[in-house]
């Protein structure tokens, strides 16, 4: 090859290499824009509009208010007797529990786990289409599965003194019975840079441990919740900084756990206990104030090219009937609760939906319950231009986008 042509070839090669993405980083064009859409989903277990809206009106959740003002919001229909593993599996598969295999916390006598999934989840569909995927703290993702990126399990992770994995709080180093992190080599990196963090919020104290020790038990448990949330905030910040992916799914579970036990009820509500429910009347609203700070950390990683979704699997309401309270305790069956979400009529506890990003309507609100938990996976697949499998029961939420005429909706009924 002539010397002049060799020089041109070397120059072109160097230019190509300069624009190749580093391993684990989102690929960018020379102008800095992503070649693929970027989506961050923040799941908030049991997020309840009845608690959120007063805080928003009082200006106590500025980060959430900012997202709502710049995007679209509304209620999201859930299903009958909703709970976390059941609904997050619907988020990921857009199929009913009896089809996807995850019907609740316990399935045929065993704690729900990824080995039970019978339909391909969103994170697998995206990975197979070349989208990089990052997931942390998503319920019922233990043991983790290989993805085109990373996965860190959440609620229902098994560990030391938590052999069944049911609402326990093992540390990363205490996980047993499967992998909590993919790829496994990432464990040492996380322990070095984030610490030996707690996988999930702690189970609530048992009734026998509360009697005569209500004040100490409440404050001690809430302190653990705060410590867990701070560890999770640090984890999210580290992952978004050092392992950016095209699609990222992060979840917070502490809100739901606190709501079950310390919802700010009145003396006439079922289950009211003055020895317990006058100790920290702001405990549940405080969870949302703290969540807003976590959202602020996430927003540091959101630019004009990022789609941000904030979703909840269901809401949570105070108990209304005494027979319900007498028969129902928390998921581990140890602590009497004063609020729940697994009402037979799921429309009583709709979830939260908030979204903002390029092409998403601004300052809009969707009335009623036209949006469903089944619609999350099809909508995200649509953003990436990935065909929606015909088995999915949901639809693309075209009404959240500014340009619905030009929407490229594929394989959706």
């Amino acid at each position: 090859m002539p010397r002049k042509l060799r020089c041109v070839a070397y120059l072109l090669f160097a230019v190509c290499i300069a624009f190749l993405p580093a391993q684990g980083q989102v690929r960018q064009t020379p102008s800095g824009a992503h070649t693929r859409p970027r989506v961050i989903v923040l799941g908030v277990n049991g997020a309840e509009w009845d608690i959120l809206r007063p805080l928003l009106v009082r200006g106590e959740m500025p980060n959430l208010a900012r997202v709502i003002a710049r995007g679209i919001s509304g209620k999201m229909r859930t299903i009958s007797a909703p709970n976390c593993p059941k609904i997050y599996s619907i988020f990921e598969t857009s199929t009913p529990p009896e089809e996807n295999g995850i019907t609740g916390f316990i399935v045929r006598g065993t704690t729900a786990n990824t080995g039970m999934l019978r339909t391909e989840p969103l994170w697998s569909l995206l990975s197979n289409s070349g989208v990089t995927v990052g997931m942390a703290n998503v319920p019922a993702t233990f043991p983790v599965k290989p993805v085109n990126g990373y996965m860190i399990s959440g609620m229902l992770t098994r560990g030391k003194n938590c052999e069944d994995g049911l609402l326990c709080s093992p540390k990363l180093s205490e996980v047993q019975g499967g992998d909590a992190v993919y790829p496994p080599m990432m464990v040492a990196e996380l322990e070095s840079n984030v610490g030996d963090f707690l996988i999930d919020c702690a189970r609530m104290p048992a009734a026998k441990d509360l009697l005569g020790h209500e004040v100490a038990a409440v404050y001690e448990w809430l302190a653990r919740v705060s410590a867990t949330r701070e560890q999770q905030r640090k984890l999210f910040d580290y992952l978004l900084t050092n392992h950016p992916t095209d699609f990222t799914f992060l979840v917070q579970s502490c809100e739901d756990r606190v709501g079950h036990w310390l919802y700010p009820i009145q003396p006439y509500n079922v289950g009211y206990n003055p020895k317990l429910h006058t100790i920290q009347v702001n405990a549940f609203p405080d969870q949302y104030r703290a969540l807003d700070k976590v959202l602020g950390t996430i927003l540091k990683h959101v630019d004009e090219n990022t789609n941000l979704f904030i979703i909840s699997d269901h809401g949570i309401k105070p108990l209304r009937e005494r027979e319900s309270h007498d028969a129902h305790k928390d998921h581990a069956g140890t602590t009497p609760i004063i609020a729940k979400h697994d009402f037979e009529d799921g429309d009583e506890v709709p979830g939260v939906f908030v979204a903002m990003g390029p092409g998403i309507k601004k300052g809009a609100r969707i009335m009623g319950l036209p949006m469903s938990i089944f619609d999350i996976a099809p909508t995200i697949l649509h953003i990436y231009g990935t065909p929606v499998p015909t088995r999915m029961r949901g639809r693309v939420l075209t009404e959240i986008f500014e340009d619905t005429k030009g929407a490229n909706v594929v394989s959706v009924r």
Side-chain angles (χ1 to χ4, degrees):
M1 181 185 294
R3 181 178 179 184
K4 188 173 183 179
L5 289 177
R6 284 203 306 271
C7 291
V8 172
Y10 290 150
L11 178 62
L12 290 173
F13 178 74
V15 170
C16 290
I17 289 295
F19 290 114
L20 284 175
Q23 185 176 5
Q25 292 185 339
V26 177
R27 186 177 179 182
Q28 295 183 325
T29 64
S31 63
H34 300 299
T35 57
R36 285 197 187 93
R38 186 175 184 229
V39 176
I40 297 176
V41 178
L42 174 62
V44 185
N45 290 350
E48 173 55 58
W49 277 121
D50 286 354
I51 302 294
L52 287 170
R53 286 192 178 117
L55 296 173
L56 288 165
V57 168
R58 294 198 295 265
E60 295 177 26
M61 297 194 71
N63 293 309
L64 181 60
R66 172 185 165 196
V67 177
I68 291 173
R70 297 185 182 185
I72 193 164
S73 62
K75 292 177 288 188
M76 185 162 54
R77 172 168 276 150
T78 187
I79 64 171
S80 175
N83 61 50
C84 297
K86 188 191 294 188
I87 306 306
Y88 275 91
S89 297
I90 294 175
F91 280 153
E92 295 163 2
T93 67
S94 188
T95 57
E98 58 272 17
E99 291 184 17
N100 66 47
I102 306 294
T103 55
F105 283 89
I106 303 295
V107 181
R108 297 182 298 278
T110 302
T111 304
N113 60 77
T114 51
M116 296 175 175
L117 280 174
R118 296 199 295 257
T119 53
E120 190 173 11
L122 177 64
W123 34 270
S124 178
L125 292 167
L126 291 175
S127 292
N128 291 338
S129 65
V131 175
T132 55
V133 171
M135 298 179 64
N137 288 10
V138 181
T141 54
F142 179 81
V144 293
K145 299 292 185 180
V147 292
N148 183 25
Y150 67 84
M151 183 184 291
I152 302 164
S153 66
M155 182 189 297
L156 304 187
T157 298
R158 297 171 181 260
K160 183 180 179 182
N161 299 320
C162 187
E163 286 71 24
D164 61 0
L166 192 59
L167 293 187
C168 305
S169 185
K171 292 181 179 179
L172 183 58
S173 65
E174 296 174 337
V175 172
Q176 299 172 351
D179 290 332
V181 178
Y182 178 86
M185 66 185 70
M186 198 175 176
V187 173
E189 176 192 349
L190 293 174
E191 289 180 336
S192 176
N193 292 279
V194 180
D196 192 10
F197 57 86
L198 295 165
I199 297 290
D200 187 27
C201 260
R203 183 183 290 172
M204 295 172 286
K208 62 181 178 59
D209 298 324
L210 282 173
L211 193 61
H213 306 283
E214 289 87 355
V215 174
V218 167
Y219 278 97
E220 180 182 347
W221 187 76
L222 288 175
R224 290 190 66 189
V225 167
S226 296
T228 302
R229 188 190 305 280
E230 175 53 25
Q231 290 177 340
Q232 292 177 349
R233 186 203 64 78
K234 186 177 179 181
L235 173 66
F236 295 168
D237 193 29
Y238 179 81
L239 293 170
L240 290 168
T241 301
N242 297 280
H243 295 275
T245 52
D246 299 323
F247 172 75
T248 309
F249 197 172
L250 311 171
V251 176
Q252 293 267 269
S253 297
C254 296
E255 295 79 11
D256 178 78
R257 209 73 49 84
V258 177
H260 277 294
W261 192 38
L262 298 172
Y263 199 105
I265 61 171
Q266 300 297 323
Y268 51 76
N269 280 111
V270 173
Y272 183 80
N273 179 353
K275 291 183 178 180
L276 187 63
H277 298 124
T278 56
I279 295 171
Q280 241 306 359
V281 294
N282 285 314
F284 190 33
D286 280 348
Q287 299 308 303
Y288 291 123
R289 296 182 180 99
L291 167 69
D292 199 66
K293 295 178 181 178
V294 175
L295 177 58
T297 294
I298 294 172
L299 287 173
K300 293 191 303 181
H301 302 277
V302 172
D303 59 21
E304 67 277 5
N305 298 310
T306 304
N307 297 277
L308 174 65
F309 290 81
I310 303 171
I311 60 175
S312 73
D313 43 356
H314 47 69
I316 185 168
K317 305 286 188 184
L319 292 168
R320 304 184 184 99
E321 302 176 38
R322 184 156 303 278
E323 55 267 31
S324 294
H325 177 258
D326 291 343
H328 192 88
K329 293 187 177 181
D330 76 293
H331 306 301
T334 57
T335 308
I337 63 169
I338 45 85
K340 71 172 189 175
H341 45 72
D342 51 349
F343 294 101
E344 284 304 312
D345 183 359
D347 286 354
E348 294 194 30
V349 281
V352 164
F353 178 91
V354 181
M356 75 171 189
I360 293 178
K361 292 177 181 177
K362 295 176 175 59
R365 182 172 172 180
I366 294 180
M367 302 298 180
L369 289 169
M371 299 185 294
S372 162
I373 56 175
F374 289 91
D375 302 331
I376 298 302
T379 300
I380 290 172
L381 289 173
H382 163 66
I383 290 174
Y384 286 103
T386 300
V388 178
T390 55
R391 61 171 169 75
M392 287 192 170
R393 301 297 183 86
R395 64 184 180 88
V396 174
L397 294 171
T398 54
E399 65 267 39
I400 74 173
F401 299 105
E402 293 173 341
D403 179 13
T404 57
K405 293 181 180 178
N408 180 26
V409 181
V410 288
S411 302
V412 179
R413 292 155 299 285

